[in-house]
């Protein structure tokens, strides 16, 4: 694979402060956030950081641009550097149902499609202009072999995501729409400023009209 | 820790066929199923199997016996050797909501409580006489240090569980109760013979009466 030379005036702190011999990835990429995220859970050596940089590529998405459309195979897992993406399905009546919102420092992708290489059931669209760092299945498998401690990082990551999903399932089973809305704004206060009411309603499993009623009721408290 | 001597007439295939120097755990324990489960994803050495055996303990649960009650801290993760357990919450009106059923070769526990050592929101009860192999957080943390490749096993395990949960969330958002019932019996046909209609209804988020109507409708096809 051809590698471009990283320009001398790069603002990548890894290059500037660490004086590391980094193999520049295909695109000029600031992987600091990703490396910091890994480093919350595992310690990486200079060589390992270099390898990670060589296996990820950066992509920009404009607002409303799709990262994935249903029936496509999800070929990459994506770490969100900046922006916000929504994963949703469309039912047989044309209604949209939101599975997840993902913002900076989160990962997104359709894990089932990524792992099985089968067509996805989901669409993933940028709700804002977004910058992501992507890795293919082949490169991630290579990374697990070369840097086995990344198993730990991804084990911890998916454990947290699993627990969050579990809370959502039990809330769906046991709580009223109002309770679920209050839990949502408590857990994700910043989402209210960034995500439309229509999309939040489709996450909570209610209509936008009903969400509007709930908001009015809650604001009167 | 005191170790009992494993009796010569043990039927543990690891001991009989492999002629391994196994340190007998506190209780006489057949860990074959657990080791086989690990071995689907990772290769274990004799020493590693020995360590695993020393860190798990076996427990028998009678039908209706509780593995965990809400407000207790979930101190162990449990691999089910035989039997069936149900994880559920009870809402403020006294209604039960089933989060999971788990049968042989599955794991159970409240992961959030186990990780954070905070009181659990859930009850876990045996629906049948069950045999489980349990590990404490301290011992599991030790195991991750001593046998890092177990990170991979648990990463793959939790990935699969995550994807299954994701499908349940999107089904809850987008499907009718009838569609969810049909998806349930397709995914878990054996559960229909083992688990009461009342508990299946509480998993699907419908009343037992409504489930009974659905079953009659489906059986007429």
């Amino acid at each position: 694979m051809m590698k471009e030379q990283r320009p001398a005036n790069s603002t990548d702190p890894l290059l500037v402060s660490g004086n590391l011999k980094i193999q520049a990835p295909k695109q000029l990429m600031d992987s600091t956030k990703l490396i910091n995220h890994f480093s919350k859970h595992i310690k990486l050596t200079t060589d390992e950081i270099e390898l990670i940089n060589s296996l990820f590529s950066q992509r920009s998405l404009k607002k409303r641009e799709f990262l994935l459309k249903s029936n496509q195979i999800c070929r990459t897992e994506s770490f969100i550097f900046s922006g916000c993406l929504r994963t949703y399905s469309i039912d047989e009546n044309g209604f949209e149902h939101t599975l997840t919102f993902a913002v900076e420092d989160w990962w997104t992708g359709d894990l089932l499609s990524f792992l099985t290489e089968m067509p996805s059931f989901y669409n993933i669209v940028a709700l804002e202009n977004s910058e992501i760092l992507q890795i293919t299945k082949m490169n991630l498998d290579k990374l697990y072999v070369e840097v086995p401690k990344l198993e730990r990082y991804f084990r911890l990551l998916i454990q947290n995501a699993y627990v969050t999903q579990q809370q959502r399932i039990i809330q769906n089973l046991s709580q009223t729409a109002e309770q679920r809305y209050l839990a949502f704004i408590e857990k994700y206060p910043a989402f209210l400023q960034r995500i439309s009411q229509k999309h939040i309603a489709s996450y909570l499993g209610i209509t936008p009209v009903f969400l509007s009623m709930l908001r009015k009721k809650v604001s009167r408290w």
Side-chain angles (χ1 to χ4, degrees), chain A:
Chain A
M1 202 196 315
M2 285 291 290
K3 299 275 163 69
E4 293 174 8
Q5 199 60 43
R6 190 175 282 253
N9 63 351
S10 166
T11 54
D12 184 340
L14 280 174
L15 196 71
V16 175
S17 65
N19 198 25
L20 309 178
K21 279 186 275 177
I22 290 177
Q23 272 190 292
K26 273 196 294 188
Q27 283 181 269
L28 181 64
M29 182 176 85
D30 182 355
S31 65
T32 319
K33 273 197 176 187
L34 176 62
I35 301 300
N36 286 347
H37 209 257
F38 285 142
S39 302
K40 281 184 188 170
H41 302 292
I42 52 173
K43 281 187 185 163
L44 293 167
T45 66
T46 310
D47 284 349
E48 289 165 347
I49 291 173
E50 193 171 317
L51 179 67
I52 289 168
N53 278 331
S54 74
L55 295 178
F56 277 82
S57 59
Q58 186 164 348
R59 182 174 165 192
S60 302
L61 290 162
K62 291 277 179 208
K63 185 175 176 176
R64 296 193 189 86
E65 192 177 339
F66 282 83
L67 174 63
L68 179 74
K69 287 196 174 179
S70 64
N71 293 318
Q72 290 177 342
I73 295 171
C74 181
R75 298 287 186 193
T76 59
E77 281 290 311
S78 301
F79 178 81
I80 304 172
F81 181 78
S82 66
C84 179
L85 291 98
R86 178 171 81 103
T87 301
Y88 65 98
S89 70
I90 304 176
D91 70 21
E92 54 202 20
N93 300 312
F95 290 108
E96 294 183 0
H97 305 280
T98 297
L99 184 67
T100 58
F101 301 110
V103 293
E104 48 282 337
D105 282 354
W106 295 25
W107 289 81
T108 194
D110 175 2
L111 186 58
L112 180 62
S113 172
F114 179 77
L115 294 173
T116 61
E117 300 182 302
M118 299 283 285
S120 176
F121 186 62
Y122 301 107
N123 304 278
I124 305 180
V125 68
L127 298 182
E128 303 169 359
N129 292 342
S130 302
E131 292 289 324
I132 59 177
L133 300 177
Q134 297 185 289
I135 189 162
T136 62
K137 186 168 185 298
M138 195 178 74
N139 281 347
L140 185 55
D141 286 342
K142 182 176 176 182
L143 210 48
Y144 282 132
V145 173
E146 302 283 331
V147 191
K149 61 189 146 184
L150 280 171
E151 296 277 2
R152 178 175 178 80
Y153 167 84
F154 281 104
R155 198 254 307 165
L156 294 170
L157 189 84
I158 198 95
Q159 266 187 191
N160 290 342
Y162 176 83
V163 163
T164 299
Q165 272 191 347
Q166 210 168 49
Q167 289 169 327
R168 187 170 173 199
I169 287 173
I170 209 72
Q171 283 168 358
N172 281 345
L173 286 174
S174 63
Q175 294 188 350
T176 63
E178 183 175 323
Q179 288 170 321
R180 284 183 282 128
Y181 172 65
L182 291 172
F184 179 83
I185 60 178
E186 190 183 336
K187 193 169 175 81
Y188 307 113
F191 282 11
L192 293 187
Q193 316 304 322
R194 296 175 71 170
I195 297 171
S196 74
Q197 294 302 309
K198 180 179 73 173
H199 292 152
I200 291 175
S202 81
Y203 178 93
L204 294 172
I206 57 179
T207 63
V209 173
F210 190 62
L211 178 58
S212 177
M213 284 167 53
L214 282 180
R215 292 182 67 209
K216 279 181 197 151
K217 185 178 170 189
V218 169
S219 68
R220 278 200 304 271
W221 286 357

